[in-house]
């Protein structure tokens, strides 16, 4: 007898900053960063231009934009507004023009470059169900590998040989990983394959969070071939969910389908 589908109401806590990209990147002209109070404000372009028009500063702003286009690394919308109007009027213009604001935990004294956005709905961040399901899949795969590592001795030997020879490493690892995943979950791309275990799991998008759940993180490369794991900061910045953020979502499980998978 096939069991009925089961629904679980789940809660997810962010342990480290998480970025799930929306595909949108903001230039330094599309946000304002006030280093004095660590407030980053993403601007609504129409509202911002209206505020400048009311104060007869559109032409001056066009000159500023031209300077930025010539790679002025120190360009800052907020600093320009302070120079044009003074601190309090600048803050009021930003307040009237902001779509959402992010209060940073650590000051970015040198400002930021392009900012890669976290996925949102109506300017509120969330985690898509597909991303949560992917995390669950990875966790199930890791658990199965940890408990049954000897089952994949051939794939391990294949990877070891490639690493030692220094040839076709990425291709070999990719092939081995696919073999392991097909073994554990079934071949998800083969129409002749049985229903895979993960097809029995459905995950909703998470609840929406306020912009206060966001922070901005700079990309840092860790150079493992250098002494003491040297770091190399990259001038790329990401909106991320803060550590400690809590999201709710629904998880539906169809036992008749998950039974096809070794891991589920």
């Amino acid at each position: 007898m096939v069991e009925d589908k089961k629904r679980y109401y789940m809660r997810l806590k962010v342990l480290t900053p998480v970025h799930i990209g929306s595909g949108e990147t903001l230039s330094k002209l599309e946000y304002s960063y006030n280093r004095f109070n660590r407030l980053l404000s993403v601007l609504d372009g129409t509202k911002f231009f209206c505020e400048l028009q009311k104060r007869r500063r559109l032409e001056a702003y066009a000159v500023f934009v031209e300077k930025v286009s010539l790679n002025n690394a120190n360009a800052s919308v907020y600093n320009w507004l302070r120079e044009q109007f003074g601190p309090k009027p600048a803050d009021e213009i930003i307040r009237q023009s902001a779509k959402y604001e992010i209060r940073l935990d650590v000051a970015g004294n040198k400002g930021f470059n392009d900012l890669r956005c976290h996925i949102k709905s109506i300017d509120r961040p969330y985690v898509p169900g597909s991303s949560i399901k992917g995390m669950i899949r990875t966790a199930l795969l890791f658990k199965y590998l940890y408990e049954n590592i000897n089952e994949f001795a051939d794939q391990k030997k294949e990877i070891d040989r490639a690493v030692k020879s220094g040839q076709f490493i990425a291709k070999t690892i990719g092939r081995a990983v696919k073999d392991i995943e097909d073994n554990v979950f079934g071949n998800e791309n083969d129409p002749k394959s049985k229903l895979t275990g993960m097809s029995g799991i459905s995950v909703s998008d998470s609840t929406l969070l306020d912009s206060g759940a966001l922070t901005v993180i700079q990309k840092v490369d860790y150079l493992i071939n250098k002494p003491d794991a040297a770091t190399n900061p990259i001038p790329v910045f990401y909106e991320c969910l803060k550590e400690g953020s809590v999201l709710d979502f629904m998880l539906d499980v169809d036992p008749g389908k998950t039974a096809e998978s070794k891991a589920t």
Side-chain angles (χ1 to χ4, degrees), residues 131-185:
S131 297
I132 299 173
K133 185 174 179 178
M135 290 186 283
I136 294 172
R137 187 180 189 277
T138 299
L140 291 172
L141 181 61
F142 177 83
K143 180 176 184 295
Y144 187 86
L145 284 173
Y146 184 78
E147 295 175 349
N148 303 275
I149 189 61
N150 292 332
E151 187 176 329
F152 304 100
D154 291 342
Q155 287 85 351
K156 182 178 182 302
K157 290 178 181 177
E158 188 178 0
I159 293 172
D160 287 342
R161 283 195 298 268
V163 171
K164 288 178 181 178
S165 70
Q167 295 181 335
F168 308 110
I169 297 176
K171 184 177 180 180
T172 300
I173 292 176
R175 183 171 59 245
V177 168
K178 185 179 185 308
D179 288 345
I180 292 170
E181 291 182 339
D182 288 351
N183 184 291
V184 175
F185 294 111

Side-chain angles (χ1 to χ4, degrees), residues 68-86:
V68 173
S69 68
L70 296 175
N71 298 318
N72 184 347
N74 296 319
S76 162
V77 170
Y78 183 74
N79 289 346
W80 180 83
L81 289 172
R82 282 174 63 93
E83 292 170 1
Q84 294 289 317
F85 304 105

Side-chain angles (χ1 to χ4, degrees), residues 86-149:
K88 288 186 178 180
D91 290 342
E92 176 62 17
I93 292 170
I94 295 301
R95 189 181 70 81
Q96 294 291 341
S97 306
K99 288 200 292 186
Y100 60 91
E101 297 177 327
I102 303 172
R103 183 82 63 179
L104 305 188
D105 297 325
V106 179
N109 292 326
K110 295 182 180 180
F112 306 102
N113 291 318
D114 290 351
L115 180 63
R116 300 187 183 183
C117 297
H118 185 91
I119 192 168
K120 303 180 193 71
S121 176
I122 54 174
D123 293 328
R124 297 176 64 186
Y126 71 102
V127 176
S130 57
S131 297
I132 299 173
K133 185 174 179 178
M135 290 186 283
I136 294 172
R137 187 180 189 277
T138 299
L140 291 172
L141 181 61
F142 177 83
K143 180 176 184 295
Y144 187 86
L145 284 173
Y146 184 78
E147 295 175 349
N148 303 275
I149 189 61

Side-chain angles (χ1 to χ4, degrees), residues 15 21 24 40 51 60 78-79 82 107 116-117 127 131 150 198 214 220 257 261:
L15 300 181
E24 180 183 11
L40 188 149
E51 291 295 323
Y78 183 74
N79 289 346
R82 282 174 63 93
R116 300 187 183 183
C117 297
V127 176
S131 297
N150 292 332
M198 293 305 296
L214 289 172
V220 177
K257 293 181 180 179
S261 167

